[in-house]
Amino acid sequence: MFLWRIQGASAQKITWNQHIAPIIHANCTPCHKKGDAAPFELVTYDDVAKRATFIKQVTQSRYMPPWKADSHYASFANERRLKDEEIAMIAEWADNKMPKGKEVAGQPEHFLEGTHYHRKPDTVLQMPRAFHIKGDNKERFIVYKIPYEMAQDMNVEAIEFVSNNRKVIHHANYEIDAVPDLDIYAGTDYINLTEDDREKYIQYVPFRQHMIYYGGWIPGATCESYPKNIGWILPKRGVILLTLHYAPVGKDEDNISGIQLFFTKTPVKREIRAVSFGSGGVGQKDIDPYFYIPADAVKTFRLKVTVPEDQSIMYVWPHMHYIGKTFKAFGVTPTGDTVKMVSVTDWSYNWQEVYWYSKLLKLPKGTVIHIEATYDNTAANPANPSSPPRLIYSSGDMKSTDEMLTLVMLYLTYEKEDETISLKNENIMK
Ligand code: HEC
């Protein structure tokens, strides 16, 4: 990489204490710490110095920190990317034999346990029984049903994924469904998407037609909270469908996960809503062409949906499975302007996440949202789960070796000057 060298800066020696520790602690430690999914800790000088060359490589190639969305296309509040100068500093430090430098007072050595929010949660809704993960080095995808009942509807100001064993979880998503009339306790506790559980899965379909909220977690993610007056209402009775992607493990493990909620007495003035487009959601039948991918084909699918009122978008969550390659969403307004929403150019099933806009994003009434995704079902795609490739068909269910084309959005009805409302939140700690 070529960088302009400024006299003063290059004369200064890059040291761990002064320069490198703050970069690592802010950008790497949230995942590379005890109990999280990353394979080793990056906390102390020794942790980092002994892997300096490796760290130089993975930061220069931008493999780490993982961030799949194209930051030139759209910018996000939760963006995880190192600046070019930071990458250059790490390289220079590694090349100069990792000087430690003088201690700097007040460096964070402790990372918060329990919550990332600025106060304790009001309630935790968790899996009623632990899930047992066999140590057979296989991946697992589980949808766990968590039924709950409260005394009344509750105003939510923040929500956070929690787990007793985060290191076995590669990612998690949760949807909250309001189901006053359905039997939330009948049927199975969970379904296993890795095995052929279609019959069982059908049990959860009625719940999924009443989605109130949708959230996501990957290692390093914190909690979801919202600007002033904005929130959502947890219905008094419902289910949480918690999708867990368990990483392969070599010895048996147990896991209990759930969500914790932070309520407020102040009534929510502006209610957040969630919508899911594509497979299993709105417009499933309108995906063009018909959603199946023959063996050995590379195919692109499109879905167009029209926005029914002026809206402010909070986040987008693009979703495909293993053979997804690229994903793009943009709006075309009635006056012909393009609103760039998200572009992922090298999709990885392992690094899917919820992309929060830096500021509320306006989509005027009548805007057509274009969703476009390309899938590579050839043997040349190393992520193809089938060898030789097989016909991939999806009826909107979530089996991991089938495919999906889905975009989930959180949104509000637009109000004047929403474009100035920032979604960065000071109440969340890393
Ligand atoms: C969002 C969580 C997350 C963040 C942030 C993150 N890592 Fe990682 N890292 C992981 C996980 C999970 C793995 C193991 C899986 C993999 O390699 O894909 C990993 C693997 C690695 C590896 C091994 C790669 C290999 O090929 O085996 C290195 C080195 C690394 N990370 C360094 C860093 C550095 C340096 C940073 C900060 C600049 C960082 N990581 C930030 C989650 C993260």
Side-chain angles (χ1 to χ4, degrees):
M1 185 188 307
F2 175 79
L3 266 185
W4 293 102
R5 281 196 169 265
I6 298 159
Q7 274 306 316
S10 63
Q12 190 191 20
K13 196 164 83 176
I14 306 287
T15 68
W16 164 254
N17 281 313
Q18 255 197 303
H19 308 95
I20 304 301
I23 301 176
I24 299 288
H25 290 158
N27 297 286
C28 316
T29 315
C31 297
H32 287 267
K33 67 179 187 305
K34 205 165 168 232
D36 269 293
F40 43 79
E41 290 182 39
L42 293 177
V43 180
T44 64
Y45 171 82
D46 290 338
D47 295 340
V48 178
K50 72 175 180 221
R51 300 186 175 91
T53 312
F54 199 8
I55 290 171
K56 172 181 159 182
Q57 287 165 5
V58 298
T59 50
Q60 283 184 335
S61 68
R62 291 199 179 274
Y63 178 62
M64 288 284 148
W67 182 257
K68 290 290 170 183
D70 178 351
S71 25
H72 299 294
Y73 193 78
S75 81
F76 298 98
N78 57 332
E79 184 162 295
R80 233 187 290 104
R81 267 172 77 85
L82 294 180
K83 297 193 191 85
D84 288 348
E85 306 89 86
E86 293 172 324
I87 295 173
M89 273 201 246
I90 293 172
E92 189 169 330
W93 179 69
D95 295 344
N96 285 338
K97 303 204 169 58
M98 296 85 71
K100 201 163 179 181
K102 275 208 211 75
E103 296 278 333
V104 180
Q107 260 186 39
E109 283 292 339
H110 300 288
F111 296 89
L112 211 72
E113 292 285 336
T115 182
H116 292 92
Y117 203 49
H118 66 123
R119 65 174 175 87
K120 287 215 178 83
D122 298 302
T123 194
V124 182
L125 301 174
Q126 62 181 41
M127 291 157 43
R129 276 166 281 279
F131 182 76
H132 183 70
I133 309 158
K134 261 204 222 120
D136 56 5
N137 285 310
K138 284 194 184 136
E139 286 187 299
R140 283 187 176 77
F141 299 86
I142 305 296
V143 183
Y144 218 102
K145 180 185 71 178
I146 306 173
Y148 72 86
E149 285 176 271
M150 316 281 264
Q152 61 193 71
D153 291 354
M154 301 301 282
N155 303 311
V156 179
E157 66 172 34
I159 182 169
E160 181 171 37
F161 172 76
V162 278
S163 179
N164 71 336
N165 192 352
R166 286 193 308 264
K167 71 176 193 295
V168 297
I169 300 173
H170 211 297
H171 77 257
N173 289 92
Y174 44 88
E175 79 176 64
I176 297 169
D177 301 322
V179 284
D181 314 325
L182 298 175
D183 184 352
I184 53 181
Y185 300 103
T188 47
D189 277 357
Y190 68 85
I191 50 170
N192 183 331
L193 302 176
T194 328
E195 290 160 13
D196 205 356
D197 264 342
R198 234 167 234 148
E199 287 298 310
K200 270 186 168 179
Y201 179 70
I202 289 169
Q203 294 175 30
Y204 291 4
V205 172
F207 299 139
R208 307 198 73 218
Q209 278 147 15
H210 306 271
M211 185 163 82
I212 295 284
Y213 190 82
Y214 196 90
W217 180 89
I218 69 163
T222 56
C223 70
E224 305 192 353
S225 83
Y226 326 102
K228 212 166 155 236
N229 293 331
I230 296 176
W232 53 280
I233 296 163
L234 181 79
K236 140 170 138 178
R237 187 173 193 274
V239 294
I240 296 160
L241 294 180
L242 179 61
T243 305
L244 293 157
H245 172 186
Y246 288 118
V249 288
K251 67 172 185 53
D252 288 15
E253 300 266 359
D254 280 309
N255 176 246
I256 296 187
S257 296
I259 54 169
Q260 48 195 24
L261 290 148
F262 303 81
F263 298 132
T264 167
K265 293 222 164 56
T266 321
V268 170
K269 285 212 184 96
R270 303 187 59 195
E271 201 175 326
I272 298 170
R273 284 166 287 158
V275 61
S276 175
F277 298 123
S279 314
V282 176
Q284 171 169 323
K285 295 198 173 64
D286 304 311
I287 297 175
D288 180 38
Y290 187 68
F291 196 67
Y292 82 99
I293 310 161
D296 304 317
V298 175
K299 258 181 108 163
T300 299
F301 298 90
R302 291 184 176 81
L303 175 63
K304 289 190 234 169
V305 277
T306 306
V307 177
E309 51 160 3
D310 284 2
Q311 287 179 348
S312 294
I313 315 301
M314 304 186 78
Y315 80 52
V316 284
W317 181 67
H319 181 64
M320 305 186 276
H321 289 172
Y322 291 111
I323 65 163
K325 277 287 166 196
T326 63
F327 190 107
K328 191 185 233 183
F330 57 93
V332 179
T333 68
T335 52
D337 292 332
T338 299
V339 183
K340 294 174 175 174
M341 295 174 71
V342 65
S343 168
V344 178
T345 49
D346 61 340
W347 172 261
S348 159
Y349 190 69
N350 283 340
W351 297 118
Q352 47 186 301
E353 59 189 293
V354 167
Y355 294 105
W356 287 84
Y357 290 109
S358 304
K359 293 194 172 141
L360 287 175
L361 182 77
K362 180 179 180 182
L363 292 182
K365 177 178 176 176
T367 297
V368 177
I369 301 176
H370 294 246
I371 302 166
E372 297 180 355
T374 301
Y375 300 80
D376 179 350
N377 195 12
T378 67
N381 179 359
N384 200 326
S386 305
S387 170
R390 62 172 184 94
L391 168 74
I392 291 186
Y393 165 83
S394 167
S395 53
D397 65 28
M398 298 156 71
K399 192 167 157 54
S400 56
T401 50
D402 285 354
E403 271 302 331
M404 288 185 86
L405 165 55
T406 300
L407 181 77
V408 176
M409 294 192 330
L410 278 197
Y411 65 97
L412 305 161
T413 301
Y414 175 81
E415 281 182 14
K416 218 170 139 221
E417 298 189 354
D418 266 3
E419 297 91 331
T420 62
I421 297 182
S422 167
L423 292 173
K424 292 200 176 159
N425 198 310
E426 303 85 54
N427 290 333
I428 300 177
M429 288 158 274
K430 277 220 172 145

